[in-house]
Amino acid sequence: MMTNRFIGRAAAAALVALAAPAAAQAPLTARSVGAAGSAVADARGVDALFFNPANLALSGSPAWSVSIPQAAVRTGFVGTRLGQVPSMLHFNRWSQGEKDAFLGGIPAEGLNARVDLTVPVAAVQVRGFALGVSFTESYSQNLGRDVADLLVNGYQNGRTNYAVGNTSGRNASWLDFSGAYGRRVGKVSVGVAAHYVAGRSLAQQRLFEPSFDLEAQDISAELREVSAHGGRGWGVDLGVAAQPSPRLTLSAAVSNALSGMKWSTGLRTKSLVLSRGDFSRTGAIEARTRFDRSEAALDPQAVPLSVYETAQGLYDGAWLPATLRVGAAYLATPRTHLTAAYQGALDNGTLSGGWRRQLSGGVEHGVGRLLALRAGAGTDVGGAWMLSGGAGLGPLQVGVARTSEPRGSARSSGWTFALGFTARGGVPVR
């Protein structure tokens, strides 16, 4: 079972949680990342399982395809950027000028880090049928400015105005087992997919306001985690697609049009009172071990107030949202595909990561028999943007995207990296 190493990740990245992102962005397959998530109508074979099951019966679909495996990492940072993370592993070596510059760049809301790991472990498609399993782990962590100051500069003797701010975190992980079927009905294709969601962990962390011992020149602050382990859910996707002409494909689907999710109510908790020595790189490493060893089942007869406060909102939005996806693909030349798509969440589920809505466009151009080049751009029509690129060399697929979005008084900047292996063959459907 994967758990959030709250303290250990703090030491490694100068954040209480950084060394270790919700909503309606496209599934993180390598091909979709390279086209900025616009390949809804262009998805064929195993890719149709993730976008629209009706695409399984479209012309151009392979007789069979298999993906083993794919992997994608999506990041977002406020107050720092991905390129700074390696140097943060050694923040104790920074000069005072470097420390001051880092702390001065943290906005009032604090330092924020979001990381999503998505692994479509395996997927297989034969004609109109497809099966797959994927794993997702999602983190969102925030660190108050004063806590960052404590980690970087250490405790300043006599200072009693440290505030934790919104130092908190949330993480979740789950497995998705899916199966889909698509077939032609007259001039259109229809499809349905079913999902079984196996929840692994759902957790929240919070650091509480400190107290001060002026005589001992020390500080103490309670760190608390509340978690639920295990959950079960289900979902049904419905899709339709058509090809009005040999060059044009139109596709629309609602993922999780019908769904349900229930997490375990048997909660567990961890707790640790941090002192002056824990707010350092070496101290945080040792504190991580103590924090993990403190895990215990929650006794409903003796629940501390900090548990109640940490657990508030634990189950809020903890399901995969119903998501509308519509797209178009146009074959401009025999080797050039133009794609456009819109995606939007239809309820308050937050587990899928990404933006609540997205409008994107992309292009894929084939070079020779093996090489395909991709590029795309997207926006949430609210100040966020994405630029992407990718390539395919035979079965090997690679995608990368740069994102930026508003976060309070600042902006979140991030990168998405995706790598996949997809083989396909047989006589395409006509």
Side-chain angles (χ1 to χ4, degrees):
M1 177 176 57
M2 294 190 173
T3 57
N4 182 21
R5 306 300 189 183
F6 197 77
I7 292 295
R9 299 182 198 277
L15 299 171
V16 170
L18 178 56
Q25 204 162 4
L28 295 181
T29 64
R31 190 182 182 201
S32 74
V33 170
S38 65
V40 172
D42 213 27
R44 297 292 190 275
V46 289
D47 286 348
L49 177 64
F50 303 110
F51 287 91
N52 183 354
N55 288 18
L56 290 166
L58 286 176
S59 174
S61 296
W64 64 266
S65 59
V66 61
S67 176
I68 305 176
Q70 298 196 62
V73 177
R74 177 170 53 211
T75 68
F77 298 94
V78 176
T80 187
R81 60 183 186 275
L82 183 60
Q84 290 180 317
V85 171
S87 68
M88 294 171 68
L89 296 171
H90 306 286
F91 66 89
N92 56 316
R93 302 176 187 173
W94 289 354
S95 68
Q96 192 57 50
E98 290 173 320
K99 294 179 180 179
D100 292 343
F102 169 70
L103 294 172
I106 299 177
E109 297 88 343
L111 193 63
N112 181 266
R114 294 175 298 129
V115 179
D116 282 338
L117 169 66
T118 301
V119 182
V121 179
V124 60
Q125 167 261 330
V126 178
R127 298 295 179 181
F129 294 90
L131 297 171
V133 57
S134 64
F135 171 78
T136 300
E137 187 151 13
S138 176
Y139 299 93
S140 178
Q141 309 287 349
N142 204 79
L143 189 72
R145 294 171 67 175
D146 283 355
V147 179
D149 191 345
L150 276 165
L151 285 168
V152 172
N153 288 318
Y155 175 70
Q156 300 174 33
N157 289 339
R159 180 176 169 181
T160 60
N161 63 343
Y162 288 104
V164 300
N166 182 27
T167 299
S168 58
R170 181 178 174 89
N171 67 278
S173 63
W174 64 94
L175 284 160
D176 184 344
F177 300 87
S178 55
Y181 174 68
R183 66 171 298 169
R184 291 186 184 179
V185 179
K187 295 184 178 181
V188 301
S189 298
V190 295
V192 60
H195 302 265
Y196 173 75
V197 181
R200 293 176 61 83
S201 66
L202 178 67
Q204 290 188 159
Q205 307 84 25
R206 179 176 174 181
L207 184 64
F208 290 85
E209 292 297 341
S211 59
F212 303 92
D213 185 336
L214 295 180
E215 182 177 348
Q217 293 294 312
D218 205 351
I219 184 175
S220 62
E222 181 186 5
L223 175 65
R224 174 72 69 171
E225 176 180 287
V226 176
S227 59
H229 299 284
R232 293 178 295 175
W234 61 276
V236 177
D237 306 345
L238 303 173
V240 62
Q243 294 173 300
S245 73
R247 291 190 172 189
L248 178 64
T249 302
L250 303 176
S251 182
V254 177
S255 63
N256 298 300
L258 304 170
S259 66
M261 185 73 195
K262 182 174 179 60
W263 289 91
S264 169
T265 56
L267 300 179
R268 301 185 67 83
T269 186
K270 299 178 184 179
S271 66
L272 179 67
V273 176
L274 300 171
S275 61
R276 175 176 180 169
D278 297 320
F279 289 100
S280 67
R281 187 175 185 274
T282 55
I285 293 173
E286 192 276 332
R288 164 183 171 171
T289 302
R290 295 175 10 234
F291 185 62
D292 288 342
R293 287 177 177 173
S294 72
E295 183 173 358
L298 191 62
D299 181 0
Q301 304 301 319
V303 181
L305 179 60
S306 61
V307 169
Y308 280 114
E309 295 180 345
T310 303
Q312 287 183 0
L314 177 65
Y315 299 107
D316 291 354
W319 63 86
L320 294 168
T323 302
L324 171 67
R325 294 191 178 96
V326 295
Y330 181 71
L331 190 63
T333 73
R335 293 182 176 272
T336 304
H337 297 235
L338 304 178
T339 55
Y342 169 80
Q343 315 177 85
L346 302 178
D347 60 32
N348 295 323
T350 61
L351 283 187
S352 66
W355 302 337
R356 296 295 298 174
R357 59 182 180 177
Q358 179 179 326
L359 182 65
S360 56
V363 58
E364 177 178 312
H365 180 70
V367 181
R369 298 186 62 181
L370 294 178
L371 180 63
L373 302 177
R374 306 180 186 101
T379 176
D380 74 342
V381 199
W385 56 263
M386 170 195 299
L387 296 175
S388 70
L393 183 61
L396 181 63
Q397 309 294 322
V398 178
V400 61
R402 177 76 165 87
T403 58
S404 178
E405 59 184 295
R407 283 275 169 180
S409 62
R411 292 189 71 85
S412 170
S413 62
W415 289 89
T416 299
F417 304 95
L419 177 67
F421 183 93
T422 303
R424 58 189 70 202
V427 179
V429 176
R430 297 184 181 276

Short mmCIF file of all heavy atoms in Angstrom, two decimals, residues 154-204:
data_model
loop_
_atom_site.label_atom_id
_atom_site.label_comp_id
_atom_site.label_asym_id
_atom_site.label_seq_id
_atom_site.Cartn_x
_atom_site.Cartn_y
_atom_site.Cartn_z
N GLY A 154 16.00 27.43 10.02
CA GLY A 154 15.98 26.93 11.38
C GLY A 154 15.23 27.88 12.30
O GLY A 154 14.84 28.99 11.92
N TYR A 155 15.04 27.44 13.54
CA TYR A 155 14.30 28.25 14.52
C TYR A 155 15.16 29.43 14.97
O TYR A 155 16.33 29.29 15.31
CB TYR A 155 13.91 27.40 15.71
CG TYR A 155 13.24 28.16 16.83
CD1 TYR A 155 11.97 28.67 16.66
CD2 TYR A 155 13.90 28.37 18.04
CE1 TYR A 155 11.34 29.37 17.68
CE2 TYR A 155 13.28 29.07 19.07
CZ TYR A 155 12.01 29.57 18.89
OH TYR A 155 11.39 30.27 19.89
N GLN A 156 14.55 30.63 14.98
CA GLN A 156 15.24 31.85 15.42
C GLN A 156 14.91 32.09 16.89
O GLN A 156 13.74 32.25 17.26
CB GLN A 156 14.80 33.04 14.57
CG GLN A 156 15.10 32.88 13.09
CD GLN A 156 14.53 34.01 12.25
OE1 GLN A 156 14.45 35.16 12.72
NE2 GLN A 156 14.11 33.71 11.02
N ASN A 157 15.93 32.06 17.72
CA ASN A 157 15.74 32.21 19.16
C ASN A 157 14.90 33.43 19.50
O ASN A 157 15.15 34.53 19.00
CB ASN A 157 17.09 32.31 19.86
CG ASN A 157 17.84 30.98 19.86
OD1 ASN A 157 17.23 29.92 19.71
ND2 ASN A 157 19.15 31.03 20.04
N GLY A 158 13.89 33.20 20.34
CA GLY A 158 13.07 34.29 20.82
C GLY A 158 11.90 34.65 19.93
O GLY A 158 11.02 35.40 20.34
N ARG A 159 11.86 34.15 18.72
CA ARG A 159 10.75 34.49 17.83
C ARG A 159 9.52 33.68 18.20
O ARG A 159 9.59 32.45 18.33
CB ARG A 159 11.12 34.22 16.38
CG ARG A 159 9.99 34.56 15.41
CD ARG A 159 10.39 34.39 13.96
NE ARG A 159 9.21 34.48 13.10
CZ ARG A 159 9.23 34.35 11.78
NH1 ARG A 159 10.39 34.13 11.15
NH2 ARG A 159 8.10 34.44 11.09
N THR A 160 8.38 34.36 18.36
CA THR A 160 7.14 33.69 18.77
C THR A 160 5.97 33.96 17.84
O THR A 160 4.82 33.72 18.21
CB THR A 160 6.74 34.13 20.20
OG1 THR A 160 6.53 35.55 20.20
CG2 THR A 160 7.81 33.75 21.21
N ASN A 161 6.26 34.45 16.64
CA ASN A 161 5.17 34.77 15.71
C ASN A 161 5.15 33.86 14.48
O ASN A 161 4.64 34.23 13.43
CB ASN A 161 5.24 36.23 15.28
CG ASN A 161 6.51 36.55 14.49
OD1 ASN A 161 7.47 35.79 14.52
ND2 ASN A 161 6.50 37.69 13.81
N TYR A 162 5.72 32.65 14.61
CA TYR A 162 5.61 31.69 13.52
C TYR A 162 4.14 31.25 13.39
O TYR A 162 3.47 30.99 14.39
CB TYR A 162 6.45 30.45 13.79
CG TYR A 162 7.95 30.66 13.66
CD1 TYR A 162 8.74 30.77 14.79
CD2 TYR A 162 8.55 30.73 12.41
CE1 TYR A 162 10.12 30.96 14.67
CE2 TYR A 162 9.92 30.91 12.28
CZ TYR A 162 10.70 31.02 13.41
OH TYR A 162 12.06 31.20 13.30
N ALA A 163 3.68 31.15 12.16
CA ALA A 163 2.33 30.66 11.88
C ALA A 163 2.42 29.57 10.82
O ALA A 163 3.21 29.68 9.87
CB ALA A 163 1.42 31.78 11.40
N VAL A 164 1.64 28.50 10.96
CA VAL A 164 1.75 27.39 10.01
C VAL A 164 1.07 27.70 8.69
O VAL A 164 1.36 27.07 7.66
CB VAL A 164 1.16 26.09 10.60
CG1 VAL A 164 1.91 25.69 11.86
CG2 VAL A 164 -0.33 26.20 10.85
N GLY A 165 0.15 28.70 8.67
CA GLY A 165 -0.57 28.96 7.44
C GLY A 165 -1.36 27.73 7.01
O GLY A 165 -1.78 26.93 7.84
N ASN A 166 -1.53 27.57 5.72
CA ASN A 166 -2.26 26.40 5.22
C ASN A 166 -1.28 25.26 4.95
O ASN A 166 -1.11 24.81 3.82
CB ASN A 166 -3.02 26.77 3.95
CG ASN A 166 -3.84 25.60 3.42
OD1 ASN A 166 -4.24 24.72 4.17
ND2 ASN A 166 -4.06 25.58 2.12
N THR A 167 -0.61 24.79 5.98
CA THR A 167 0.30 23.65 5.82
C THR A 167 -0.52 22.38 5.97
O THR A 167 -0.92 22.00 7.07
CB THR A 167 1.43 23.70 6.86
OG1 THR A 167 2.19 24.91 6.66
CG2 THR A 167 2.35 22.51 6.71
N SER A 168 -0.81 21.77 4.85
CA SER A 168 -1.71 20.63 4.83
C SER A 168 -1.46 19.82 3.57
O SER A 168 -0.72 20.25 2.67
CB SER A 168 -3.18 21.08 4.86
OG SER A 168 -3.45 21.93 3.75
N GLY A 169 -2.06 18.65 3.51
CA GLY A 169 -1.89 17.80 2.34
C GLY A 169 -3.04 16.86 2.14
O GLY A 169 -3.85 16.62 3.04
N ARG A 170 -3.13 16.32 0.94
CA ARG A 170 -4.16 15.35 0.60
C ARG A 170 -3.59 14.40 -0.45
O ARG A 170 -2.90 14.85 -1.38
CB ARG A 170 -5.41 16.06 0.07
CG ARG A 170 -6.58 15.12 -0.30
CD ARG A 170 -7.77 15.95 -0.76
NE ARG A 170 -8.87 15.13 -1.26
CZ ARG A 170 -9.85 14.64 -0.52
NH1 ARG A 170 -9.87 14.89 0.79
NH2 ARG A 170 -10.82 13.93 -1.05
N ASN A 171 -3.83 13.13 -0.30
CA ASN A 171 -3.39 12.18 -1.32
C ASN A 171 -4.39 11.04 -1.44
O ASN A 171 -5.15 10.75 -0.52
CB ASN A 171 -1.99 11.64 -1.01
CG ASN A 171 -1.95 10.78 0.23
OD1 ASN A 171 -1.86 11.30 1.33
ND2 ASN A 171 -1.99 9.46 0.05
N ALA A 172 -4.39 10.42 -2.62
CA ALA A 172 -5.29 9.30 -2.88
C ALA A 172 -4.64 8.39 -3.90
O ALA A 172 -3.83 8.83 -4.74
CB ALA A 172 -6.64 9.79 -3.40
N SER A 173 -4.97 7.11 -3.84
CA SER A 173 -4.49 6.15 -4.84
C SER A 173 -5.57 5.11 -5.09
O SER A 173 -6.33 4.76 -4.19
CB SER A 173 -3.19 5.49 -4.39
OG SER A 173 -3.38 4.72 -3.21
N TRP A 174 -5.63 4.63 -6.33
CA TRP A 174 -6.66 3.66 -6.69
C TRP A 174 -6.26 2.89 -7.95
O TRP A 174 -5.39 3.32 -8.71
CB TRP A 174 -8.01 4.34 -6.91
CG TRP A 174 -8.05 5.30 -8.06
CD1 TRP A 174 -8.44 5.04 -9.34
CD2 TRP A 174 -7.67 6.69 -8.03
NE1 TRP A 174 -8.33 6.17 -10.11
CE2 TRP A 174 -7.87 7.19 -9.33
CE3 TRP A 174 -7.20 7.56 -7.04
CZ2 TRP A 174 -7.60 8.52 -9.67
CZ3 TRP A 174 -6.94 8.87 -7.37
CH2 TRP A 174 -7.13 9.35 -8.66
N LEU A 175 -6.89 1.74 -8.13
CA LEU A 175 -6.77 0.93 -9.33
C LEU A 175 -8.09 0.96 -10.10
O LEU A 175 -9.16 0.96 -9.49
CB LEU A 175 -6.43 -0.52 -8.98
CG LEU A 175 -4.98 -0.81 -8.56
CD1 LEU A 175 -4.93 -2.13 -7.79
CD2 LEU A 175 -4.07 -0.87 -9.77
N ASP A 176 -8.01 1.00 -11.43
CA ASP A 176 -9.19 1.04 -12.28
C ASP A 176 -9.13 -0.14 -13.25
O ASP A 176 -8.24 -0.21 -14.09
CB ASP A 176 -9.23 2.37 -13.05
CG ASP A 176 -10.51 2.53 -13.89
OD1 ASP A 176 -11.21 1.53 -14.12
OD2 ASP A 176 -10.78 3.66 -14.32
N PHE A 177 -10.05 -1.09 -13.09
CA PHE A 177 -10.17 -2.23 -14.00
C PHE A 177 -11.32 -1.94 -14.96
O PHE A 177 -12.45 -1.66 -14.52
CB PHE A 177 -10.45 -3.52 -13.23
CG PHE A 177 -9.39 -3.87 -12.23
CD1 PHE A 177 -9.44 -3.37 -10.93
CD2 PHE A 177 -8.34 -4.70 -12.59
CE1 PHE A 177 -8.46 -3.68 -10.00
CE2 PHE A 177 -7.36 -5.03 -11.66
CZ PHE A 177 -7.41 -4.53 -10.37
N SER A 178 -11.07 -1.97 -16.26
CA SER A 178 -12.09 -1.54 -17.21
C SER A 178 -12.22 -2.51 -18.38
O SER A 178 -11.26 -3.19 -18.76
CB SER A 178 -11.77 -0.14 -17.74
OG SER A 178 -10.47 -0.09 -18.29
N GLY A 179 -13.41 -2.55 -18.92
CA GLY A 179 -13.69 -3.33 -20.12
C GLY A 179 -14.65 -2.55 -21.00
O GLY A 179 -15.51 -1.81 -20.49
N ALA A 180 -14.51 -2.65 -22.31
CA ALA A 180 -15.33 -1.85 -23.22
C ALA A 180 -15.70 -2.65 -24.46
O ALA A 180 -15.01 -3.60 -24.86
CB ALA A 180 -14.57 -0.58 -23.62
N TYR A 181 -16.80 -2.22 -25.08
CA TYR A 181 -17.26 -2.82 -26.33
C TYR A 181 -17.86 -1.74 -27.20
O TYR A 181 -18.62 -0.88 -26.74
CB TYR A 181 -18.31 -3.90 -26.06
CG TYR A 181 -18.92 -4.47 -27.33
CD1 TYR A 181 -18.15 -5.24 -28.21
CD2 TYR A 181 -20.25 -4.23 -27.66
CE1 TYR A 181 -18.70 -5.76 -29.37
CE2 TYR A 181 -20.82 -4.75 -28.81
CZ TYR A 181 -20.03 -5.52 -29.67
OH TYR A 181 -20.57 -6.02 -30.82
N GLY A 182 -17.51 -1.77 -28.49
CA GLY A 182 -18.07 -0.83 -29.45
C GLY A 182 -18.53 -1.57 -30.70
O GLY A 182 -17.91 -2.56 -31.12
N ARG A 183 -19.60 -1.08 -31.30
CA ARG A 183 -20.10 -1.68 -32.53
C ARG A 183 -20.83 -0.63 -33.35
O ARG A 183 -21.26 0.40 -32.85
CB ARG A 183 -21.03 -2.86 -32.25
CG ARG A 183 -22.33 -2.49 -31.57
CD ARG A 183 -23.28 -3.67 -31.53
NE ARG A 183 -23.65 -4.09 -32.88
CZ ARG A 183 -24.29 -5.21 -33.16
NH1 ARG A 183 -24.61 -6.05 -32.18
NH2 ARG A 183 -24.59 -5.52 -34.41
N ARG A 184 -20.94 -0.92 -34.64
CA ARG A 184 -21.66 -0.02 -35.54
C ARG A 184 -23.15 -0.31 -35.49
O ARG A 184 -23.58 -1.46 -35.47
CB ARG A 184 -21.16 -0.19 -36.97
CG ARG A 184 -19.73 0.31 -37.18
CD ARG A 184 -19.36 0.25 -38.65
NE ARG A 184 -17.97 0.63 -38.87
CZ ARG A 184 -17.39 0.63 -40.06
NH1 ARG A 184 -18.07 0.25 -41.14
NH2 ARG A 184 -16.13 0.99 -40.18
N VAL A 185 -23.90 0.77 -35.50
CA VAL A 185 -25.36 0.69 -35.58
C VAL A 185 -25.78 1.65 -36.68
O VAL A 185 -25.82 2.88 -36.48
CB VAL A 185 -26.04 1.06 -34.25
CG1 VAL A 185 -27.56 0.99 -34.41
CG2 VAL A 185 -25.58 0.13 -33.14
N GLY A 186 -26.03 1.13 -37.88
CA GLY A 186 -26.31 1.99 -39.00
C GLY A 186 -25.07 2.78 -39.39
O GLY A 186 -23.99 2.22 -39.59
N LYS A 187 -25.19 4.10 -39.43
CA LYS A 187 -24.08 4.95 -39.85
C LYS A 187 -23.26 5.48 -38.68
O LYS A 187 -22.33 6.26 -38.89
CB LYS A 187 -24.61 6.12 -40.68
CG LYS A 187 -25.24 5.69 -42.00
CD LYS A 187 -25.66 6.90 -42.82
CE LYS A 187 -26.25 6.46 -44.16
NZ LYS A 187 -26.64 7.64 -45.00
N VAL A 188 -23.58 5.05 -37.48
CA VAL A 188 -22.83 5.54 -36.32
C VAL A 188 -22.27 4.35 -35.55
O VAL A 188 -22.68 3.20 -35.74
CB VAL A 188 -23.72 6.39 -35.38
CG1 VAL A 188 -24.31 7.59 -36.12
CG2 VAL A 188 -24.82 5.55 -34.76
N SER A 189 -21.33 4.66 -34.68
CA SER A 189 -20.77 3.67 -33.77
C SER A 189 -21.20 4.02 -32.36
O SER A 189 -21.22 5.20 -31.99
CB SER A 189 -19.24 3.65 -33.85
OG SER A 189 -18.80 3.30 -35.13
N VAL A 190 -21.54 3.01 -31.58
CA VAL A 190 -21.90 3.23 -30.18
C VAL A 190 -21.00 2.34 -29.33
O VAL A 190 -20.49 1.31 -29.78
CB VAL A 190 -23.39 2.92 -29.91
CG1 VAL A 190 -24.28 3.89 -30.66
CG2 VAL A 190 -23.71 1.48 -30.27
N GLY A 191 -20.81 2.74 -28.09
CA GLY A 191 -19.94 1.96 -27.23
C GLY A 191 -20.28 2.14 -25.77
O GLY A 191 -20.90 3.14 -25.37
N VAL A 192 -19.87 1.16 -24.97
CA VAL A 192 -20.08 1.22 -23.54
C VAL A 192 -18.84 0.64 -22.86
O VAL A 192 -18.22 -0.29 -23.38
CB VAL A 192 -21.35 0.45 -23.12
CG1 VAL A 192 -21.25 -1.01 -23.52
CG2 VAL A 192 -21.61 0.59 -21.62
N ALA A 193 -18.46 1.22 -21.75
CA ALA A 193 -17.34 0.72 -20.97
C ALA A 193 -17.76 0.64 -19.52
O ALA A 193 -18.52 1.49 -19.02
CB ALA A 193 -16.11 1.63 -21.11
N ALA A 194 -17.28 -0.37 -18.82
CA ALA A 194 -17.57 -0.54 -17.41
C ALA A 194 -16.26 -0.51 -16.62
O ALA A 194 -15.24 -1.02 -17.08
CB ALA A 194 -18.30 -1.85 -17.16
N HIS A 195 -16.31 0.09 -15.43
CA HIS A 195 -15.13 0.22 -14.58
C HIS A 195 -15.42 -0.33 -13.18
O HIS A 195 -16.50 -0.11 -12.63
CB HIS A 195 -14.73 1.70 -14.42
CG HIS A 195 -14.44 2.40 -15.70
ND1 HIS A 195 -13.17 2.53 -16.20
CD2 HIS A 195 -15.27 3.02 -16.58
CE1 HIS A 195 -13.21 3.21 -17.33
NE2 HIS A 195 -14.48 3.51 -17.59
N TYR A 196 -14.42 -1.00 -12.64
CA TYR A 196 -14.41 -1.33 -11.22
C TYR A 196 -13.22 -0.60 -10.62
O TYR A 196 -12.08 -0.78 -11.04
CB TYR A 196 -14.29 -2.82 -10.97
CG TYR A 196 -14.10 -3.15 -9.50
CD1 TYR A 196 -15.17 -3.08 -8.61
CD2 TYR A 196 -12.85 -3.48 -9.00
CE1 TYR A 196 -15.00 -3.34 -7.26
CE2 TYR A 196 -12.66 -3.75 -7.65
CZ TYR A 196 -13.74 -3.68 -6.79
OH TYR A 196 -13.56 -3.92 -5.45
N VAL A 197 -13.49 0.25 -9.63
CA VAL A 197 -12.46 1.07 -9.01
C VAL A 197 -12.13 0.50 -7.63
O VAL A 197 -13.02 0.40 -6.77
CB VAL A 197 -12.90 2.54 -8.89
CG1 VAL A 197 -11.79 3.38 -8.26
CG2 VAL A 197 -13.26 3.11 -10.27
N ALA A 198 -10.89 0.12 -7.44
CA ALA A 198 -10.43 -0.40 -6.15
C ALA A 198 -9.62 0.70 -5.46
O ALA A 198 -8.47 0.95 -5.82
CB ALA A 198 -9.58 -1.65 -6.36
N GLY A 199 -10.25 1.36 -4.49
CA GLY A 199 -9.55 2.41 -3.75
C GLY A 199 -8.50 1.81 -2.83
O GLY A 199 -8.77 0.83 -2.13
N ARG A 200 -7.32 2.39 -2.83
CA ARG A 200 -6.24 1.89 -1.98
C ARG A 200 -6.06 2.77 -0.75
O ARG A 200 -6.03 2.27 0.36
CB ARG A 200 -4.94 1.79 -2.78
CG ARG A 200 -5.01 0.72 -3.88
CD ARG A 200 -3.75 0.70 -4.73
NE ARG A 200 -2.56 0.39 -3.95
CZ ARG A 200 -2.16 -0.82 -3.62
NH1 ARG A 200 -2.87 -1.87 -3.99
NH2 ARG A 200 -1.05 -1.02 -2.94
N SER A 201 -5.91 4.07 -0.94
CA SER A 201 -5.74 4.94 0.22
C SER A 201 -6.28 6.33 -0.09
O SER A 201 -6.23 6.80 -1.22
CB SER A 201 -4.27 5.02 0.65
OG SER A 201 -3.50 5.66 -0.34
N LEU A 202 -6.78 6.98 0.96
CA LEU A 202 -7.28 8.35 0.91
C LEU A 202 -6.86 9.00 2.22
O LEU A 202 -7.21 8.50 3.29
CB LEU A 202 -8.80 8.35 0.76
CG LEU A 202 -9.50 9.71 0.73
CD1 LEU A 202 -9.13 10.48 -0.54
CD2 LEU A 202 -11.02 9.53 0.80
N ALA A 203 -6.08 10.07 2.16
CA ALA A 203 -5.51 10.62 3.39
C ALA A 203 -5.43 12.14 3.33
O ALA A 203 -5.32 12.74 2.25
CB ALA A 203 -4.12 10.04 3.64
N GLN A 204 -5.48 12.74 4.51
CA GLN A 204 -5.27 14.18 4.68
C GLN A 204 -4.31 14.41 5.83
O GLN A 204 -4.32 13.67 6.82
CB GLN A 204 -6.58 14.92 4.94
CG GLN A 204 -7.49 14.97 3.75
CD GLN A 204 -8.70 15.85 3.92
OE1 GLN A 204 -9.30 16.28 2.94
NE2 GLN A 204 -9.10 16.14 5.15
#
